[in-house]
Amino acid sequence: MKISVICPTFNSSKFIDKTLNSILSQNFNKFEVLFSDDGSEDNTVNILEDFKIKFKAKGIECKIIKNKHMGPGAARNAAIKISQYDWLAFIDSDDIWNKNKLKNVNNAFEKSPDLNCIIHRQFFKNKKGKIKSYDYDKYYDPYKPVFNQLFKSNFIATSSVVIKKDLILKHQGFDETLQNAQDYDLWLK
């Protein structure tokens, strides 16, 4: 299994180092990483360029796409278009992955090759260091249609999604005309 990791960025220079290090520290290396900048006006792209060297040193292909400011949906779509692998993993530029994330996802797909998507729990750490678990799975009942459950509430965090690329393409990716909730719209599709 090979994965295209997609990270949209916008004026992320104050916090993106933690995100980049969490991707770089993955103990699974069969992935490429695509940073799709949404017209940043700060030092974000320079930081990405510095980290690109670190990714290449680990044998991980890294691309930086520079876009006009059109929102995260457009930035994600630009990366999806040039992604080379059948699996997409999303991470927002202010999120952090556990070092085992991609390895655990790979192991899950090896055990159940018929899966087309994996979504996992997410934790939120506030400025004081307190950690809260977002157990989205408590909103999911495997015996009911997913659409009906999603219609009531979006329990899918984008940075927790690893999904078959063809599913995203089948539904034309993220709706770039929406100002927010492009991810929720796509999951409903």
Side-chain angles (χ1 to χ4, degrees):
M1 171 179 195
K2 291 188 177 181
I3 302 169
S4 293
V5 173
I6 295 176
C7 181
T9 61
F10 177 69
N11 291 342
S12 308
S13 64
K14 292 182 180 173
F15 47 81
I16 197 166
D17 280 8
K18 290 180 181 179
T19 303
L20 296 169
N21 280 316
S22 81
I23 299 169
L24 194 59
S25 70
Q26 291 298 300
N27 56 19
F28 173 90
N29 66 357
K30 294 178 184 175
F31 68 94
E32 67 173 343
V33 62
L34 302 131
F35 297 104
S36 190
D37 187 71
D38 190 32
S40 290
E41 298 171 349
D42 65 358
N43 200 31
T44 300
V45 174
N46 292 333
I47 294 169
L48 294 175
E49 292 289 351
D50 290 343
F51 267 87
K52 185 176 182 179
I53 296 164
K54 294 177 184 179
F55 280 103
K56 292 204 182 252
K58 284 191 75 174
I60 299 166
E61 189 169 346
C62 176
K63 295 177 186 167
I64 301 167
I65 309 159
K66 299 173 189 172
N67 306 292
K68 293 181 193 175
H69 183 56
M70 295 176 59
R76 287 185 189 105
N77 286 342
I80 291 167
K81 287 177 188 171
I82 67 163
S83 63
Q84 59 181 331
Y85 299 128
D86 293 333
W87 292 96
L88 304 176
F90 298 102
I91 183 168
D92 289 341
S93 63
D94 59 348
D95 288 344
I96 300 169
W97 280 347
N98 177 290
K99 69 180 180 176
N100 297 316
K101 185 230 173 66
L102 295 179
K103 183 178 181 179
N104 289 340
V105 165
N106 181 67
N107 292 345
F109 283 120
E110 284 181 355
K111 289 177 185 171
S112 302
D114 57 323
L115 295 176
N116 58 17
C117 179
I118 284 189
I119 302 154
H120 57 74
R121 290 181 179 158
Q122 183 174 332
F123 299 91
F124 176 78
K125 184 176 182 180
N126 68 18
K127 291 180 181 181
K128 295 179 181 178
K130 185 176 180 184
I131 297 174
K132 178 181 179 183
S133 174
Y134 285 97
D135 298 333
Y136 295 106
D137 54 328
K138 70 182 175 188
Y139 300 108
Y140 173 68
D141 181 343
Y143 302 105
K144 294 181 181 178
V146 174
F147 178 81
N148 294 349
Q149 296 173 72
L150 270 174
F151 189 74
K152 292 178 184 177
S153 173
N154 182 14
F155 54 85
I156 300 174
T158 305
S159 290
S160 73
V161 173
V162 180
I163 191 167
K164 287 280 253 183
K165 180 179 175 178
D166 62 355
L167 277 178
I168 300 288
L169 295 176
K170 179 181 176 181
H171 297 288
Q172 292 80 46
F174 295 88
D175 187 337
E176 299 176 17
T177 65
L178 297 175
Q179 291 298 311
N180 52 43
Q182 305 95 346
D183 55 343
Y184 187 30
D185 172 71
L186 183 58
W187 310 148
L188 287 170
K189 290 180 198 173

